[in-house]
Amino acid sequence: MTHSFDKDYWDQIWDGDRAAAMAASQPNPHLMREVGDLAPGTALDAGCGAGAEAIWLATGGWQVTAADIATAALAHAAERAAASGVADRVRWVEADLSTWQPAARYDLVTTHYAHPAMPQLDFYERIASWVAPAGTLFIVGHLHHQDHASATGHGHDETEPPASASVTAADITARLDPLVWDVRTARESHRALAGHGGHAVSIHDVVVRASRRS
């Protein structure tokens, strides 16, 4: 399948044979490690998939807006939120993040392996503009690596994401004006994850956390 990252692409992914596994994905460990010290407020999960991160935030007291382009992903997410008892703390929005504009800015804007139909760094710059003063931007993206396999549970097919969808920490932080942003974390991480059939898969991540100056 061509990585077009438009609505048809993501709807096919979420209607495919990997949907059940993706719908059972767990919250990203980088998010749990990095934002646990933040006081809950309003949050946007950009490209929320089946909602694992949005639900984790809501459970921690955040009021979450969770946006994704795939109808089936949002249906899975809403069911999970209801089962977790946080349906009243998450608003699910079907949206193309390359064109959608939120009505307000947020105390936390986060994204995890999201790929809309626009250049990856332009997307990160776009969502950064949605962070409120004194708020936090938190990005987990793909670090391009030769043996990277798709086991993140966020909707890729069996091949590695294209290089155009992969970035480095320096790529992201170069887009953050130091007069506006205080970069707290900028690292590239390598971890093991159980893939299909129980086989271990190496995951290569880029993790950036930045605070918008007041």
Side-chain angles (χ1 to χ4, degrees):
M1 180 184 296
T2 301
H3 292 85
S4 60
F5 297 137
D6 58 8
K7 181 169 175 55
D8 287 344
Y9 171 89
W10 288 114
D11 282 341
Q12 287 182 59
I13 291 292
W14 280 96
D15 287 336
D17 57 7
R18 296 194 63 207
M22 294 189 302
S25 62
Q26 297 302 304
N28 190 280
H30 299 298
L31 176 72
M32 294 189 289
R33 183 181 306 111
E34 289 276 352
V35 308
D37 62 335
L38 297 179
T42 59
L44 171 68
D45 185 1
C48 64
E53 289 78 23
I55 292 166
W56 182 83
L57 288 167
T59 302
W62 293 84
Q63 194 66 43
V64 184
T65 298
D68 201 278
I69 200 170
T71 305
L74 292 171
H76 286 299
E79 290 179 3
R80 296 179 77 180
S84 299
V86 295
D88 61 334
R89 301 197 65 84
V90 187
R91 180 172 71 97
W92 306 103
V93 178
E94 184 173 327
D96 180 346
L97 293 171
S98 67
T99 58
W100 178 73
Q101 286 284 355
R105 293 199 283 178
Y106 299 86
D107 300 314
L108 170 66
V109 174
T110 187
T111 189
H112 310 86
Y113 313 115
H115 303 305
M118 66 185 300
Q120 195 67 32
L121 289 171
D122 290 350
F123 168 60
Y124 292 149
E125 191 169 6
R126 189 166 202 273
I127 68 171
S129 71
W130 302 340
V131 179
T136 297
L137 173 69
F138 186 70
I139 294 168
V140 181
H142 288 299
L143 175 66
H144 184 67
H145 198 276
Q146 187 63 36
D147 63 359
H148 183 99
S150 175
T152 60
H154 285 71
H156 299 294
D157 63 14
E158 293 296 329
T159 63
E160 156 184 23
S164 61
S166 304
V167 297
T168 66
D171 290 333
I172 299 173
T173 57
R175 295 289 190 107
L176 300 177
D177 184 344
L179 297 178
V180 177
W181 295 97
D182 180 13
V183 176
R184 303 294 183 89
T185 301
R187 70 173 187 270
E188 295 168 358
S189 170
H190 310 276
R191 60 193 173 95
L193 190 68
H196 295 300
H199 298 294
V201 176
S202 294
I203 303 299
H204 308 280
D205 295 329
V206 174
V207 181
V208 172
R209 173 183 171 181
S211 299
R212 181 182 284 276
R213 302 184 191 277
S214 300

